[in-house]
Amino acid sequence: MNLNQLAWRNIWRRKRRTLITAFSIGFGVMLAVTFTGSGDYTYTNMIDTGASMGMGHVTVEPVGYHLKPTLDKRLSGVDALRQRIVALDGVSDATVRITGQAMFASARKSVGGAFIAVDPDFETAGNNLLVRSLVEGKLFNERGGRGIVIGSRLAQKLQVKIGKKVVYTTTDATGEIVSNIARVTGIFTTGESTIDGILALLPIATVQETLSYAPDEATVVAVIIKDQRHAEAMRDRIAALPEAGGVAVLTWKKSQPDLAAVIAFDKAGNYISQFLVGLLIAVGILNTMLMSVLERTREFGVMMAVGMSPKVLFKLVMVESFWLSIVGLILGVIITAPWYYFLYYYGIDFTGAFGDDFSYGGVLVDPVFKARLFKESVMAILGTLFMLALLAGLYPAWRAGRVPPVESLKTI
């Protein structure tokens, strides 16, 4: 009889104990899928939302602009650069934008804030959170018009409505103070009070003229990619383009450091939780295998007395751990599948507890608890639990071959 057959029979000698251990592994799979899946979904959602707020997953900007974002720093030839970037595989969209600080004034009040100058031909609900969050009016139609789209809280501060005039004042490329007038065409509400209270969208051609920029000059090219996990690779590909010479190419981790810090901190807590769950599972497997070995001390003595080496006994117990792990993982997949299906398609709505405007790291978070697993996450969960189960069997396997045959036969 080979070791696999013998090991399979051995683990079912104590069916109840084996099933309890297997279900503990399965429960570990369900917890790991819940933790990891919710992280994959939430982090991706936050990163994509943050990217659509103006800077993209990858940002092309003038050297030094990230550290000191002044309007005297600008990119040239942005239209040609955008066309080359959009042609890259994996890029969903790329938009040319001008970002800066400004003072907004109405007939009644003045408020400090920020603006993003955009081309309405390339701004959509998919690549721009502010366009997606319009609650009144619409985005201006002309890149050289006099329209402006402002946040709802900013509109309240200025006491303006659709059709009202707003004067914005900023500094141009030479450091001179310049002003222009615009008429409100739309009002957005993202749910993030800071954004709604300071931000406005302006037509890019008008802003270029106001700032004394050339028609092909801007401060950033915001790149939206299909999969945020490939941001670093896309950054390197963009940086290698001939048109990208002398510019800085940053991922969202650099352009949005607050968001990156929040996600890193949350991931660390997630990993610690999963480590503790894995440790509990490993202890349970260790207990099961050690009890099995101690119960069969006399049996092992007989096996060694008839010629079986301690090395073979070690292999036997390790094969038992292997099959126990396999049974546990299979049960884990079976009991986790319906739970994951529910989280994937429906989720748990926490709107009542957190509201629909809950934000974290300056980015809105979906209040519906859902799960999405990447392929590498699935492999990591199954592989880690499998390795923990095997490692937990090392000491019992070592113990099995340590007692001399004569001493083993004395055990009653």
Side-chain angles (χ1 to χ4, degrees):
M1 183 180 297
N2 62 41
L3 290 181
N4 282 308
Q5 291 177 322
L6 186 58
W8 181 257
R9 292 184 179 182
N10 286 339
I11 65 173
W12 293 110
R13 287 184 178 184
R14 297 285 189 270
K15 293 183 176 64
R16 181 180 297 177
R17 186 167 61 195
T18 296
L19 287 174
I20 291 174
T21 306
F23 272 107
S24 71
I25 298 174
F27 184 66
V29 172
M30 187 173 72
L31 288 179
V33 166
T34 302
F35 286 138
T36 306
S38 65
D40 285 351
Y41 172 81
T42 302
Y43 301 149
T44 297
N45 188 53
M46 291 175 66
I47 293 167
D48 289 345
T49 300
S52 66
M53 287 167 60
M55 304 305 284
H57 295 103
V58 180
T59 306
V60 183
E61 61 182 35
V63 176
Y65 184 81
H66 173 63
L67 299 176
K68 189 178 180 182
T70 55
L71 290 168
D72 60 318
K73 300 183 179 73
R74 54 194 186 275
L75 300 171
S76 300
V78 289
D79 294 332
L81 178 59
R82 177 191 174 278
Q83 292 178 3
R84 286 297 302 271
I85 292 174
V86 170
L88 294 175
D89 185 37
V91 173
S92 177
D93 203 353
T95 57
V96 176
R97 293 168 177 168
I98 300 174
T99 61
Q101 305 296 315
M103 179 67 71
F104 299 99
S106 64
R108 299 183 179 182
K109 199 172 183 180
S110 297
V111 177
F115 68 87
I116 303 176
V118 300
D119 187 337
D121 293 337
F122 299 109
E123 299 295 329
T124 66
N127 63 25
N128 193 318
L129 174 67
L130 309 184
V131 175
R132 186 162 67 245
S133 304
L134 281 170
V135 292
E136 292 184 53
K138 61 180 182 179
L139 181 66
F140 38 82
N141 296 321
E142 299 178 0
R143 66 194 311 270
R146 296 288 179 178
I148 184 173
V149 175
I150 62 176
S152 55
R153 290 177 63 87
L154 181 57
Q156 291 175 4
K157 294 176 184 178
L158 295 174
Q159 300 179 31
V160 296
K161 299 184 294 184
I162 300 295
K164 296 298 182 178
K165 294 180 180 179
V166 172
V167 175
Y168 57 94
T169 303
T170 185
T171 56
D172 65 8
T174 62
E176 296 293 329
I177 297 177
V178 293
S179 298
N180 209 334
I181 191 169
R183 194 176 295 275
V184 179
T185 64
I187 297 175
F188 61 81
T189 299
T190 64
E192 173 57 47
S193 59
T194 302
I195 297 174
D196 295 341
I198 67 170
L199 205 55
L201 296 177
L202 292 167
I204 190 167
T206 301
V207 173
Q208 286 171 331
E209 182 179 354
T210 302
L211 300 178
S212 301
Y213 279 20
D216 65 342
E217 290 183 332
T219 57
V220 299
V221 177
V223 183
I224 306 296
I225 62 177
K226 297 176 181 178
D227 191 335
Q228 55 85 13
R229 294 173 295 169
H230 303 151
E232 282 78 11
M234 184 59 66
R235 173 200 60 197
D236 296 339
R237 292 176 63 190
I238 293 174
L241 294 174
E243 291 84 357
V247 304
V249 185
L250 310 176
T251 66
W252 62 270
K253 293 180 181 179
K254 291 291 185 180
S255 62
Q256 301 178 78
D258 292 342
L259 176 60
V262 164
I263 290 178
F265 178 79
D266 196 77
K267 277 186 176 181
N270 198 335
Y271 291 150
I272 292 174
S273 300
Q274 294 195 58
F275 172 77
L276 294 177
V277 171
L279 188 62
L280 290 175
I281 294 172
V283 170
I285 297 172
L286 173 63
N287 179 67
T288 298
M289 297 306 302
L290 188 58
M291 290 296 296
S292 176
V293 167
L294 293 177
E295 288 175 352
R296 293 182 288 161
T297 301
R298 183 177 178 83
E299 176 184 328
F300 289 151
V302 172
M303 295 171 70
M304 286 190 288
V306 297
M308 182 173 286
S309 66
K311 183 178 180 181
V312 175
L313 281 178
F314 177 86
K315 290 182 179 179
L316 174 62
V317 177
M318 288 304 297
V319 173
E320 291 177 12
S321 297
F322 168 82
W323 283 114
L324 185 58
S325 305
I326 294 299
V327 172
L329 292 178
I330 292 174
L331 281 176
V333 172
I334 293 173
I335 64 178
T336 303
W339 171 243
Y340 178 71
Y341 178 88
F342 171 76
L343 290 180
Y344 187 93
Y345 288 102
Y346 302 101
I348 304 174
D349 193 348
F350 287 104
T351 302
F354 299 106
D356 56 5
D357 58 351
F358 176 67
S359 63
Y360 194 38
V363 174
L364 289 174
V365 178
D366 188 352
V368 180
F369 182 87
K370 290 187 175 182
R372 299 284 189 277
L373 277 177
F374 298 128
K375 291 181 180 179
E376 58 267 28
S377 297
V378 175
M379 299 303 297
I381 291 171
L382 297 180
T384 300
L385 290 176
F386 181 72
M387 290 304 299
L388 281 174
L390 290 184
L391 290 173
L394 284 175
Y395 176 72
W398 174 81
R399 179 72 180 268
R402 292 292 294 174
V403 182
V406 175
E407 296 297 325
S408 301
L409 292 172
K410 292 179 182 179
T411 303
I412 299 177

